[in-house]
Amino acid sequence: MSELVLKNICKEYENGFKAVDNFSLEIKDKEFLIFVGPSGCGKSTTLRMIAGLEEITTGELWIDNQFANYLDSQERELSMVFQSYALYPNMTVYDNIAFSLQVRKLGKQEIDKRVQEVARLLGLEKLLQQRPKDLSGGQRQRVAIGNAIIREPKVLLMDEPLSNLDAKLRGQMRVELAELHKRLGNTIIYVTHDQTEAMTLGTRIVVMKDGIIQQIDAPKNLYENPINLFVAGFIGFPMMNMIKARIMIHEEMAYSQRGRSAYAENEMFYVFEKNRIQVTGYVKEVLLEKDYRGQDVIIGIRPEHISDRPTMNATQRITGEVIGRELLGSEIILYFSILDMQLSARVEATSTAQVGDKMDFFLETDHFCVFDEKTEENLMYH
Ligand SMILES: Nc1ncnc2c1ncn2[C@@H]1O[C@H](COP(=O)(O)OP(=O)(O)O)[C@@H](O)[C@H]1O
Ligand SMILES: [Mg+2]
């Protein structure tokens, strides 16, 4: 069993900078947990506090029901893999993997058994007599992982382990790491600034910003139900579209049109410049209840919920000018501008839209997120 509990953990560096603020989290046995966020948000600091490489300023760390704030790094039985993996250049792969067991003076046979096991797990059997300089980046990183897991740590801590690899290898190693986690069945805490990596690897993701946890959730929930504008924008590529709009109901509309009322009573609209999109259903209920009449909001909509043709779900039309076109093979990302905003739509590869075209796009309003313009919270978060 390996469960970690972090209670209100803060880190203030000697220069007074608060890198981690009130971080609370329970990490369950066998979880593949990800810390993700932009550079400088406190991911490595948090991981290093868990590892015992950085002092915890205030708060509590518990490892398997043991108070661990003051435990030595070794006593914590955790292993860490870093971005820049330090292998011993003059030692073979075998010795690089076996090193931590040799230091502990385990028997030769026992060491050999475990090295062979780990090598099999990582597909390094044929490379055991090579030296690091003869290996590719991916192979070297596998050796570093082998070195970390041979001790059978309670928890494996990984800090951007794939950042130094090229894109193709990174993709491959992602798949391997997911496999490895299944086979090892241990707890992994994995730090990355890359939301794709987070979304594909994690069973649960902790999104951080400026040392503060924003949201802890499964990948799908983060994507579909972000707690605020930051999480909505950080998770997903191309980024969620953000449209500034004002909430208006019939009376206000009628007033602004000098008494000419074109809509039935109590209808509610998002209004931006000449565009009016009717608000219905649950969203309308929430906005009425929270009294957002006349208030500014930000509508969030993912590129896959904007279509280049009307569909059953995509009914609300807006007109924009195409400013970019990216063929991704099976689909096309169209970038278009409307007023001073840049939006993107994920459309079928058969689209003939070209840069410069003025064309209609259709929005699936059921998929709108609505954010308060000032607090940036998602009013639809549930
Ligand atoms: N030893 C230190 N002294 C002062 N500030 C530090 C120190 N180490 C890191 N920081 C600052 O703490 C913040 C978080 O750093 P870090 O945890 O490395 O971020 P991340 O891993 O998310 O990129 C950054 O603003 C960084 O500059
Ligand atoms: Mg870092």
Side-chain angles (χ1 to χ4, degrees), residues 55-108:
E55 203 174 297
I56 296 169
T57 310
T58 58
E60 299 170 16
L61 172 68
W62 295 77
I63 303 175
D64 285 342
N65 299 318
Q66 186 182 11
F67 181 66
N69 281 43
Y70 304 116
L71 284 185
D72 271 358
S73 194
Q74 292 87 334
E75 291 173 299
R76 299 187 190 197
E77 296 176 55
L78 317 170
S79 275
M80 193 143 165
V81 181
F82 299 93
Q83 174 179 348
S84 45
Y85 28 93
L87 300 180
Y88 298 96
N90 297 322
M91 281 166 33
T92 59
V93 168
Y94 187 104
D95 287 334
N96 264 291
I97 294 176
F99 186 68
S100 65
L101 300 185
Q102 290 164 348
V103 170
R104 284 171 199 203
K105 307 233 182 315
L106 258 71
K108 255 200 155 122

Side-chain angles (χ1 to χ4, degrees), residues 243-248 253 256-257 263 269-277 296-297 299 317-319 337-341:
I243 303 172
K244 271 190 235 159
R246 180 163 292 174
I247 302 295
M248 299 181 84
M253 301 266 309
S256 68
Q257 292 181 336
Y263 301 100
F269 298 87
Y270 306 101
V271 179
F272 49 104
E273 198 115 311
K274 292 200 183 81
N275 298 279
R276 266 168 220 156
I277 297 176
D296 288 333
V297 296
I299 302 168
R317 182 168 58 142
I318 55 174
T319 306
S337 65
I338 171 167
L339 309 175
D340 59 347
M341 295 177 287

Side-chain angles (χ1 to χ4, degrees), residues 24-42:
S24 292
L25 177 68
E26 286 184 22
I27 301 162
K28 297 184 213 91
D29 194 26
K30 298 189 182 9
E31 234 187 315
F32 200 142
L33 185 87
I34 313 271
F35 295 169
V36 71
S39 175
C41 71

Side-chain angles (χ1 to χ4, degrees), residues 118-132:
V118 166
R120 208 171 320 119
L121 203 60
L122 295 165
L124 293 168
E125 299 108 307
K126 296 209 174 80
L127 302 173
L128 287 172
Q129 295 316 315
Q130 311 266 21
R131 285 174 211 274

